[in-house]
Amino acid sequence: MSDQAPDQLKAPATPSVSDVSNDLRAVRLLRLQELRAQGQDPFLNNWTQSHTSKQAIAMWVEGEELGPEVSVAGRIIVSRDMGKSSFIKILDRDGIIQIYVKKDAVGDEAYAAFKKLDLGDIIGAVGPIFKTKTGEITVRAREYRLVSKALRPLPEKWHGLTDSEQIYRQRYLDLIVNQESRERFQMRSRIIQAIREYLWSREFVEVEGPVLQGIAGGAAARPFITHFNALSCDFYLRIALELHLKRMLVGSFDRVFEIGRVFRNEGLSRRHNPEFTMLEVYQAYSDYRGMMMLIHDLVQYICRTALGGKTSIPRPEGGEIELAGKWREVKYKDLVIEATGDANWFTRSREEKLAACAKLGIEVNPTHPDFAITQDVFEKLIEPKLIQPTFVTHIPRELCPLAKLTPGDSTTLDVFELCINGQEIAPAYSEQNDPQVQREQFEKQVGDDIQKMDEDFLTALEHGMPPAGGMGVGIDRLVILLTGASNIRDTILFPSLRPEENVKVKSPKEE
């Protein structure tokens, strides 16, 4: 069993395999044609799978000669021919199990057909389990069937799939041949399951807001634009989940969350994909400190359940991140003063700050307003060094129009940004519920482009929204952190890619 051509095919009036021996797909197509000519169906409607690989292996009782009979199914990934018998390994959703196929057990005709199977073919097998001399739990097949014929070969066995472009474009192959990748996406599923379990246990209600929106609100980001033919107007793919979830608070749903896709028409990088997954959660009669406890306890729950109790996460760059215990809390202004070495930074003029940035080697846009210059200092000098979990609190008021001002300090907001491993994982606010203040903040944000204001949301606020804490969590970034991935594309099954016909023309941001 291999991708090498057999000496002869029985199907009449067809090219010989030797004519196409350099084209592995053509060889497989000829084998397919032979199977059909013999009246066999190489693509079954179904197969009764009684056990997965993991479940079958767990059935073995030490000391017995033969274990119970099982029916397994999966893709052939390894084959070893021993003449009148063969060992193969198949991959299913739980992992790998070995199957022993013997000519005497399945019959001459079936065994001859078995030897014409290819790596990548999906088969089903029925038989008792036993332990080989090397100690491997194996299915002794008394019957097998080809369930689905693979017409293309798998990537080379020992080198797997290593080209990043092919990995992202043909993720299905990556999942077959790269165990690390397969385990990462299984972990992603468990993480999302744990998030839901935790929030459900605290009486949060999961809701779904619209993906297509008449106004792109809830964040400062460039949207994707589409045309709604039935309504004869342009709509936007949502850039945040926030404003519709807050409408739920107005509607007396006091604890709500959504896990959903968000779309921002911005650059591609190791940490950003234009289509990504967000968790947003809102709790009435709470504030940013309530969210601080929520995210800490949520991550601990994920560690206990999805990660099997592991709280120390290795970094690809070296060292570990410790998620257990109390997390550091520090004010934004204190971090900036410490990084710049200037206790008077926040009273300096804009020109003085620009000059200080030049001395510090921080590249900033000279047209940026005062607060944006400071934010450049934070993003380029401070945030990359926040490796252990850190709550950065009381950010400048200009950075978020949707949060409450800090009592006693009108220049900052009751906000935290949770930074871990040099990037923001979760921002959270004491949510603004004063409709007049919210209108003023929106007006400052949109400037003359007043049509970008969400008047319906402001109308909802005027009906009364309870005080609340709100938080967003980037699911992809959280998965990067918890799985040790080095690129956001490694955590998204099918990341955004340039169409294949244009793949040679890459923008600098994609490099």
Side-chain angles (χ1 to χ4, degrees), residues 154-438:
L154 296 176
E156 188 178 352
K157 175 181 174 183
W158 298 114
H159 299 287
L161 203 61
T162 56
D163 177 74
S164 60
E165 179 73 23
Q166 189 182 10
I167 286 172
Y168 303 139
R169 200 170 292 281
Q170 293 183 287
R171 178 68 80 186
Y172 46 89
L173 292 181
D174 175 47
L175 296 175
I176 294 170
V177 301
N178 291 336
Q179 181 178 351
E180 181 182 357
S181 181
R182 189 164 57 251
E183 290 176 349
R184 183 182 299 116
F185 285 107
Q186 289 170 338
M187 177 62 73
R188 179 187 174 109
S189 179
R190 290 196 294 272
I191 290 168
I192 293 174
Q193 178 183 343
I195 290 170
R196 285 193 162 99
E197 289 173 350
Y198 176 84
L199 293 173
W200 288 337
S201 72
R202 282 150 183 78
E203 299 181 347
F204 282 84
V205 177
E206 184 172 9
V207 299
E208 296 173 294
V211 174
L212 293 174
Q213 301 181 353
I215 295 173
R222 178 186 298 170
F224 286 91
I225 303 173
T226 188
H227 189 75
F228 204 135
N229 289 337
L231 298 179
S232 190
C233 61
D234 285 345
F235 267 60
Y236 304 92
L237 297 182
R238 63 186 177 189
I239 59 174
L241 312 176
E242 182 165 351
L243 300 186
H244 284 87
L245 290 176
K246 286 184 178 178
R247 286 171 169 89
M248 298 299 296
L249 296 181
V250 174
S252 298
F253 278 63
D254 289 348
R255 297 186 178 198
V256 294
F257 76 95
E258 181 173 2
I259 298 174
R261 288 291 209 191
V262 173
F263 308 85
R264 298 184 182 178
N265 197 359
E266 298 170 345
L268 288 163
S269 71
R270 289 177 58 250
R271 295 186 174 185
H272 179 69
N273 191 70
E275 178 185 4
F276 59 99
T277 303
M278 281 287 292
L279 160 70
E280 290 202 27
V281 55
Y282 294 85
Q283 180 177 345
Y285 313 110
S286 184
D287 59 9
Y288 82 106
R289 291 212 163 268
M291 295 297 103
M292 198 177 284
M293 290 187 288
L294 183 69
I295 185 61
H296 178 272
D297 291 349
L298 172 59
V299 171
Q300 304 311 305
Y301 182 81
I302 292 171
C303 288
R304 288 196 305 272
T305 55
L307 273 64
K310 183 173 72 172
T311 60
S312 295
I313 309 299
R315 299 180 67 223
E317 303 87 349
E320 291 190 339
I321 297 167
E322 182 52 63
L323 298 175
K326 187 176 180 180
W327 294 349
R328 180 190 182 198
E329 180 182 334
V330 59
K331 290 184 177 180
Y332 179 97
K333 285 185 177 181
D334 292 342
L335 286 172
V336 172
I337 289 170
E338 179 185 347
T340 60
D342 186 354
N344 299 312
W345 175 271
F346 287 93
T347 60
R348 299 291 186 191
S349 68
R350 183 175 168 280
E351 289 69 27
E352 288 174 320
K353 290 177 180 176
L354 284 171
C357 285
K359 288 183 180 180
L360 290 166
I362 303 171
E363 186 177 341
V364 300
N365 188 327
T367 66
H368 272 175
D370 186 284
F371 75 88
I373 295 171
T374 301
Q375 182 63 7
D376 278 335
V377 173
F378 177 79
E379 290 180 349
K380 297 175 181 179
L381 193 61
I382 300 169
E383 188 177 54
K385 298 177 182 178
L386 299 177
I387 304 304
Q388 301 303 324
T390 303
F391 290 116
V392 179
T393 67
H394 303 95
I395 70 172
R397 62 178 296 173
E398 295 88 353
L399 293 177
C400 179
L402 292 157
K404 287 273 197 184
L405 293 176
T406 304
D409 184 358
S410 62
T411 67
T412 66
L413 300 166
D414 265 2
V415 163
F416 74 73
E417 292 181 355
L418 173 60
C419 297
I420 310 178
N421 199 29
Q423 63 182 343
E424 180 190 78
I425 298 294
Y429 315 152
S430 295
E431 297 295 340
Q432 181 58 258
N433 63 341
D434 183 328
Q436 293 180 325
V437 173
Q438 185 65 87

Side-chain angles (χ1 to χ4, degrees), residues 426-450:
Y429 315 152
S430 295
E431 297 295 340
Q432 181 58 258
N433 63 341
D434 183 328
Q436 293 180 325
V437 173
Q438 185 65 87
R439 179 176 290 277
E440 292 171 4
Q441 292 295 99
F442 275 173
E443 287 173 348
K444 290 178 183 178
Q445 183 186 43
V446 302
D448 296 331
D449 206 356
I450 216 73

